């Protein structure tokens, strides 16, 4: 892998926004790491939950943009939890510690699933005002690995990282996307064996979201699913809004033939 290109914005972010470490469980080894930026007067902030490979700082661009518009944003990196109930209980304690009664949750991949599970967990005494889900899921069975979920803790770190890296795009991508992938790989390398093993366990442990328990919560779903259809007759976007360079990347990565266009 080539040299990681570090954005000047990222360097500024790391130097300007302090990383807080908070313990809310009886187990002192369970440490929540978070960036809390924006007006502290806001009592219903937006909280970002990362994917398996992510750390709290993967949302630095969103934090910089949103705080510039006056939002309070909190980006989290969760401790080692081995089941969804344990995570939800720890997250509830964290919100209590931060004196936040209700929050908006943005979750990417695993983070989106955990956000839904927390909304489900607190449905009798709601703590989630809205959900934003990016490339997420509501049932872990889609990964077809529920039978291996209880064995991740035995695997060495290099094997766990290989599993996660297998989900990263390997085809041609534009330079900005390539830099983003390199950045996420770098963040993945910073995670220890127990962190990765616990996240993969949460990602694959047999569980699903009970829809009737979150049906009253506003939900926005974000996905890049439609990108694969750009440049074809099935595209859901005005062709004039897609650059020629992007179309070439899509053709190369998907092997689109002239007949399909």
């Amino acid at each position: 892998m080539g040299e990681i290109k570090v954005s000047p914005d990222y360097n500024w972010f790391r130097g300007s926004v302090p990383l807080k470490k908070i313990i809310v469980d009886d187990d002192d080894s369970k440490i929540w790491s978070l960036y809390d930026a924006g007006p502290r007067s806001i009592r219903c902030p937006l909280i970002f939950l990362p994917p398996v490979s992510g750390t709290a700082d993967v949302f630095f661009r969103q934090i910089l943009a949103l705080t510039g518009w006056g939002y309070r944003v909190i980006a989290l990196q969760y401790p080692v939890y081995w089941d969804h109930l344990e995570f939800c209980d720890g997250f509830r304690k964290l919100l209590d510690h931060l004196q936040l009664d209700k929050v908006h949750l943005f979750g990417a991949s695993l983070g989106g699933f955990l956000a839904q599970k927390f909304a489900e967990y607190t449905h009798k005494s709601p703590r989630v005002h809205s959900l934003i889900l990016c490339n997420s899921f509501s049932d872990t069975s889609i990964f077809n690995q529920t039978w291996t979920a209880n064995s991740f803790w035995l695997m060495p770190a290099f094997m766990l990282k290989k599993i996660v890296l297998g989900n990263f795009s390997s085809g041609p991508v534009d330079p900005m996307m390539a830099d983003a992938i390199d950045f996420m790989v770098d963040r993945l390398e910073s995670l220890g064996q127990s962190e990765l093993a616990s996240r993969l366990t949460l990602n694959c442990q047999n569980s699903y979201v009970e829809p009737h328990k979150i049906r009253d919560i506003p939900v926005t779903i974000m996905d890049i699913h439609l990108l694969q259809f750009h440049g074809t007759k099935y595209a859901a976007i005005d062709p004039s809004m897609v650059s020629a360079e992007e179309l070439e990347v899509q053709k190369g990565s998907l092997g689109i033939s002239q007949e399909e266009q």
Side-chain angles (χ1 to χ4, degrees), residues 69-232:
W69 294 332
Y71 290 93
R72 181 182 179 186
V73 182
I74 299 173
L76 297 177
Q77 182 172 332
Y78 14 85
V80 172
Y81 289 122
W82 296 99
D83 65 62
H84 305 115
L85 182 60
E86 184 184 26
F87 167 84
C88 290
D89 187 54
F91 189 31
R92 177 187 57 78
K93 291 176 182 177
L94 178 68
L95 294 185
D96 291 344
H97 175 86
L98 297 173
Q99 299 181 329
L100 300 173
D101 293 330
K102 297 194 77 173
V103 294
H104 304 278
L105 296 181
F106 177 105
S109 191
L110 171 63
F113 180 70
L114 293 176
Q116 294 173 83
K117 292 301 289 184
F118 183 71
E120 174 190 283
Y121 172 79
T122 59
H123 78 282
K124 290 185 177 179
S125 182
R127 304 295 295 270
V128 179
H129 192 69
S130 72
L131 290 168
I132 307 171
L133 308 176
C134 177
N135 195 31
S136 192
F137 53 93
S138 60
D139 190 333
T140 60
S141 66
I142 64 170
F143 299 107
N144 296 318
Q145 290 196 22
T146 54
W147 62 278
T148 62
N150 293 328
S151 63
F152 288 126
W153 69 277
L154 292 168
M155 298 182 184
F158 79 88
M159 187 177 295
L160 297 171
K161 290 175 182 177
K162 185 176 180 180
I163 293 173
V164 177
L165 287 171
N167 294 313
F168 281 42
S169 175
S170 58
V173 294
D174 63 73
M176 185 176 293
M177 182 64 73
D179 288 345
I181 292 174
D182 285 346
F183 177 67
M184 291 303 296
V185 171
D186 181 65
R187 296 294 80 210
L188 172 64
E189 290 295 331
S190 72
L191 298 174
Q193 190 276 343
S194 58
E195 291 175 297
L196 278 173
S198 64
R199 292 184 184 192
L200 284 169
T201 299
L202 294 176
N203 200 84
C204 299
Q205 200 171 61
N206 189 27
S207 182
Y208 66 93
V209 178
E210 299 180 56
H212 64 282
K213 292 184 178 179
I214 65 170
R215 64 185 178 189
D216 295 326
I217 298 176
V219 179
T220 298
I221 298 176
M222 301 172 62
D223 206 332
I224 59 172
H225 169 81
L226 292 175
L227 282 177
Q228 63 187 300
F229 304 112
H230 285 189
T232 76

Side-chain angles (χ1 to χ4, degrees), residues 63-71:
I63 294 173
L64 292 177
L66 290 169
T67 54
W69 294 332
Y71 290 93

